[in-house]
Amino acid sequence: MTHPPKKRVFSGIQPTGNLHIGNYLGAIKNWAQEQHKYHNVFCIVDLHALTLPQDPAELYRSIRQVAMLYLACGLDLEHCAIFVQSHIPAHAELTWLLNCVTPLGWLERMTQYKDKSAKQESVSTGLLDYPVLMAADIILYDTHYVPVGEDQKQHVELTRDIAIRFNNLYGETFVVPDVLIPKAGARVMGLDDPTAKMSKSIDKQGHALRLLDPPNVLKKSIMRATTDSLNRIAFDPVEQPGVFNLLNIYQAITGQSEAQILAEFSGGGYGNLKKRVAEAVVATLEPIQQRYHEMAQDPGYIEQVLQAGADRVRPIAERRLLVAQKNLGLRK
Ligand code: AQP
């Protein structure tokens, strides 16, 4: 019996700080769980990080840290290529070609641009152009599926619009990708403020559960998480965003249904809920931390992985860029 060819998955994370449980539950955990079904291309999107000011030494360190965390979280090099975006120049080159077919209004409408630019005194052109670079990342690899957290859904939709527009103007060039969003954990909120997304660039104690935080820090942040005074355990994101966030984290970790979780916690108070969530988080992160720290003993290893990953994906990217160049009339 012949099997249909495997489809391709692409996703990436910015090396903009310490990865947190939102990055894990919204993205990496699902990449690892589904990796055997697809050809996977996972990137550390360092060019995206440059859209906001970065300390060069810190950025360099962070790129390696993200790559090691990909592996520590379970990505298997038999199924996945892992590489750094800036090591494949085709990403930047395709971005320019796509810029020239992307109406400015499409970019000005992006909610992440509006949020991030509102926090800056002066905004780089790169911050506005971020979604076009993301579109180039994805369609360069003939990607079918893009597994991301909820916050990136709008950017993947824009990617589809850009690919369709290019195909309509210049002939079939790009695969139009679909987004994959997990059922639980797609939007983990800050523990200090459950109305705002947990974010790695918010460096405030008690905001994020960082993947490399020691168990006592994780526990403390969860025990201090903002809840409410209703003393009711329910999946109610409007009236009880703090409790909902803890239940959502627990559900994404355990894979249990809402009914199972409510049965487990009904009658107990918030203290018990927090304690159980903390235990589940620590039990999930401890083996990841152990693998990460072992890998960090040999810095040469991750350099080899990144070099091999770039070598593996370069031909795919160059082939698709060449098709785009030919269709635009740049090459024969
Ligand atoms: N809070 C979250 N809940 C669920 N998923 C999340 N992701 C990010 N935050 C959450 C998912 O993680 C992947 C990597 O995201 P990114 O680094 O490309 O940028 P981001 O979405 O802007 O993530 P951060 O952590 O908030 O970083 P900063 O602070 O640098 O902007 C994506 O799949 C994202 O959906």
Side-chain angles (χ1 to χ4, degrees):
M1 201 174 90
T2 56
H3 295 283
K6 282 186 179 175
K7 304 239 169 174
R8 185 164 289 132
V9 154
F10 176 95
S11 204
I13 293 188
Q14 298 181 73
T16 40
N18 295 298
L19 297 201
H20 52 71
I21 196 103
N23 300 129
Y24 178 68
L25 297 176
I28 312 172
K29 179 174 189 256
N30 310 296
W31 306 351
Q33 250 165 16
E34 303 287 306
Q35 61 186 324
H36 59 282
K37 292 190 196 161
Y38 305 110
H39 291 299
N40 302 281
V41 178
F42 293 122
C43 192
I44 295 103
V45 288
D46 55 346
L47 296 177
H48 281 274
L50 297 178
T51 56
L52 291 174
Q54 304 294 335
D55 172 67
E58 187 53 32
L59 178 62
Y60 189 86
R61 190 197 62 83
S62 187
I63 292 167
R64 271 95 201 141
Q65 187 181 77
V66 174
M68 287 195 284
L69 278 170
Y70 279 1
L71 292 172
C73 289
L75 295 190
D76 180 345
L77 294 172
E78 232 181 77
H79 300 293
C80 313
I82 296 176
F83 73 103
V84 181
Q85 182 187 31
S86 65
H87 295 182
I88 306 289
H91 288 250
E93 196 166 346
L94 181 61
T95 301
W96 179 255
L97 307 186
L98 299 181
N99 275 338
C100 297
V101 302
T102 305
L104 187 58
W106 288 7
L107 302 182
E108 287 168 336
R109 277 204 296 275
M110 293 294 107
T111 51
Q112 193 178 80
Y113 170 70
K114 288 193 222 163
D115 288 352
K116 289 197 172 175
S117 59
K119 292 180 196 149
Q120 302 294 315
E121 248 178 51
S122 128
V123 172
S124 74
T125 310
L127 189 65
L128 178 69
D129 203 30
Y130 174 115
V132 183
L133 177 59
M134 179 162 158
D137 299 339
I138 295 167
I139 62 181
L140 207 44
Y141 296 97
D142 310 337
T143 300
H144 300 96
Y145 299 118
V146 189
V148 285
E150 182 79 40
D151 62 318
Q152 292 294 338
K153 187 167 169 231
Q154 194 186 31
H155 289 160
V156 181
E157 281 162 1
L158 183 80
T159 299
R160 290 173 57 83
D161 291 341
I162 293 173
I164 291 169
R165 186 172 165 86
F166 194 104
N167 289 348
N168 286 341
L169 289 170
Y170 298 105
E172 274 311 300
T173 311
F174 298 114
V175 173
V176 179
D178 284 311
V179 70
L180 292 181
I181 309 268
K183 286 194 190 75
R187 192 169 175 80
V188 177
M189 310 305 274
L191 294 178
D192 55 338
D193 174 7
T195 61
K197 185 185 83 131
M198 187 179 284
S199 183
K200 56 178 129 59
S201 49
I202 299 179
D203 195 17
K204 207 164 87 194
Q205 270 306 322
H207 166 74
L209 296 170
R210 291 180 289 244
L211 300 188
L212 295 174
D213 277 344
N216 64 323
V217 174
L218 294 167
K219 281 184 196 151
K220 199 161 138 192
S221 300
I222 294 172
M223 295 313 288
R224 288 186 176 175
T226 302
T227 49
D228 53 61
S229 52
L230 296 175
N231 205 20
R232 181 177 69 127
I233 308 259
F235 281 84
D236 182 346
V238 179
E239 295 292 322
Q240 297 184 273
V243 171
F244 177 83
N245 194 32
L246 293 171
L247 291 170
N248 182 38
I249 292 171
Y250 193 74
Q251 186 176 25
I253 288 178
T254 62
Q256 294 182 52
S257 68
E258 286 191 12
Q260 281 171 317
I261 294 173
L262 291 179
E264 184 177 339
F265 290 115
S266 73
Y270 292 169
N272 177 53
L273 170 67
K274 288 177 170 178
K275 189 167 153 281
R276 296 299 309 278
V277 173
E279 284 164 2
V281 167
V282 169
T284 302
L285 297 189
E286 261 180 347
I288 293 175
Q289 296 181 356
Q290 200 180 333
R291 285 194 290 271
Y292 173 86
H293 291 304
E294 276 167 21
M295 216 181 306
Q297 303 285 318
D298 174 11
Y301 174 69
I302 203 64
E303 298 302 334
Q304 279 171 25
V305 168
L306 294 174
Q307 174 79 54
D311 291 345
R312 218 162 124 188
V313 300
R314 190 176 295 106
I316 312 171
E318 288 180 349
R319 207 178 314 126
R320 189 53 46 202
L321 177 65
L322 185 62
V323 175
Q325 288 168 329
K326 281 183 181 164
N327 290 353
L328 283 163
L330 301 176
R331 301 276 174 98
K332 260 218 180 285

